[in-house]
Amino acid sequence: MEFLAYRAGVILAAVVLDRLLGDPPQLPHPVRLIGYLIASGESIRRLPLPVRWSGTLLAMGVIAVTGAAAWLLVKLGYAAGFWWGLAVEALLVYLAVAPHSLAGEALAVDGHLQRGDLPGARQRLAMIVGRDTAGLDEREVRRAAVETVGENTVDAVLCPVFYALLFGAAGAWVYKAVSTLDSMIGYRHEPYRDFGWAAARLDDFAAFVPARLTLFFVPPAALLSGLFARDAWRVGWRDRLAHPSPNAGHGEALFAGALNACLGGPSTYNGIPSEKPYLGAEYPPPGPPAIRQAVTLLWATAWLFAAAGAAVLVFLSRF
């Protein structure tokens, strides 16, 4: 069980590397390679199969290739030497977690708003959200940015760390394959309603446990961040299942309580209006400090979750 203690070090090193370096801009990110694999595999639609079956075959193939590639890289690293293997694992997990990238994009939106550059804020926001941003006012831009930080605290941080804790670097990258599949083809509208069905269901399943762990990590992270820990728990527990997504509402509801800000409400996706329930309806809309506060809470949650997971692994390694 000694390997669990080393895995704990890998997780902590990965989060530290992400905090210090972010995504290396000079190198193609592995997620882009997964995206290329998905886009290339969409030709599987032409097979004489039901659409759901072809989408399921694509999802299984992408997941298998991604997991096998990560596993092989780790094996090659350890074949070169123990410390090389640990370094490869840490590098792979570092590339799988993304709090630095998420925080940077959100703060870039906030920077435009602080300079009074609403068009620039809308354009930058469009890079990290799926909703239409062209007609959003300042308050709506700020709400969308806070919502995406809350939701992606689960998707970009807790999920990859959770699966790295359980299965190492290969686990983190299997999750990234699932998440990328969902973001590219897991839509409720055509032409992906049936083709992306398996991708969407797999993502719901993969994020189910990490999303619910936010209940135990966001409130103490809010306390460490000088935010409203008790309200995070109260609003999170009350409103987490109001969201149409089985998982997205957890992070958003907890962030709404922690920031004492109302999230949710009407949005538009590809010109189609979407009426989402309000989370933290008793609070006003997010104010000017809200994006920066959300980023602080994101980092506190990431550190707390990684440290707690590493501590559990070290404890288990003693048996």
Side-chain angles (χ1 to χ4, degrees), residues 75-247:
K75 282 293 182 183
L76 290 173
Y78 280 111
F82 178 73
W83 293 108
W84 279 108
L86 286 180
V88 170
E89 281 213 81
L91 177 63
L92 287 174
V93 178
Y94 147 60
L95 291 172
V97 298
H100 189 285
S101 176
L102 176 59
E105 291 297 330
L107 290 175
V109 173
D110 186 64
H112 284 287
L113 290 178
Q114 290 191 58
R115 295 190 294 272
D117 179 15
L118 181 57
R122 290 168 175 162
Q123 291 176 4
R124 199 62 187 254
L125 179 67
M127 299 171 64
I128 55 173
V129 300
R131 73 191 67 186
D132 301 333
T133 63
L136 300 184
D137 61 23
E138 180 178 337
R139 183 178 64 182
E140 291 169 328
V141 167
R142 190 176 293 115
R143 171 172 69 88
V146 172
E147 286 175 3
T148 200
V149 172
E151 177 181 352
N152 284 293
T153 295
V154 176
D155 296 340
V157 184
L158 268 63
C159 283
V161 170
F162 178 77
Y163 287 104
L165 289 166
L166 291 179
F167 306 113
W173 277 100
V174 164
Y175 170 74
K176 294 297 285 187
V178 171
S179 177
T180 308
L181 280 159
D182 180 62
S183 67
M184 289 184 66
I185 65 173
Y187 295 106
R188 297 177 183 270
H189 54 74
E190 296 299 343
Y192 293 113
R193 182 187 300 274
D194 289 322
F195 187 69
W197 175 85
R201 298 294 78 72
L202 284 168
D203 186 73
D204 290 344
F205 176 79
F208 187 87
V209 172
R212 282 145 186 83
L213 289 176
T214 56
L215 286 166
F216 305 100
F217 287 94
V218 172
L223 183 64
L224 293 173
S225 303
L227 299 172
F228 300 95
R230 184 175 298 178
D231 291 338
W233 171 265
R234 179 180 59 81
V235 175
W237 181 260
R238 185 192 69 198
D239 294 349
R240 62 198 172 93
L241 298 179
H243 197 283
S245 165
N247 299 317

Side-chain angles (χ1 to χ4, degrees), residues 11-32:
I11 301 299
L12 293 176
V15 177
V16 170
L17 284 172
D18 183 77
R19 183 67 180 90
L20 295 176
L21 304 177
D23 291 334
Q26 68 276 18
L27 297 175
H29 198 281
V31 168
R32 293 184 181 178

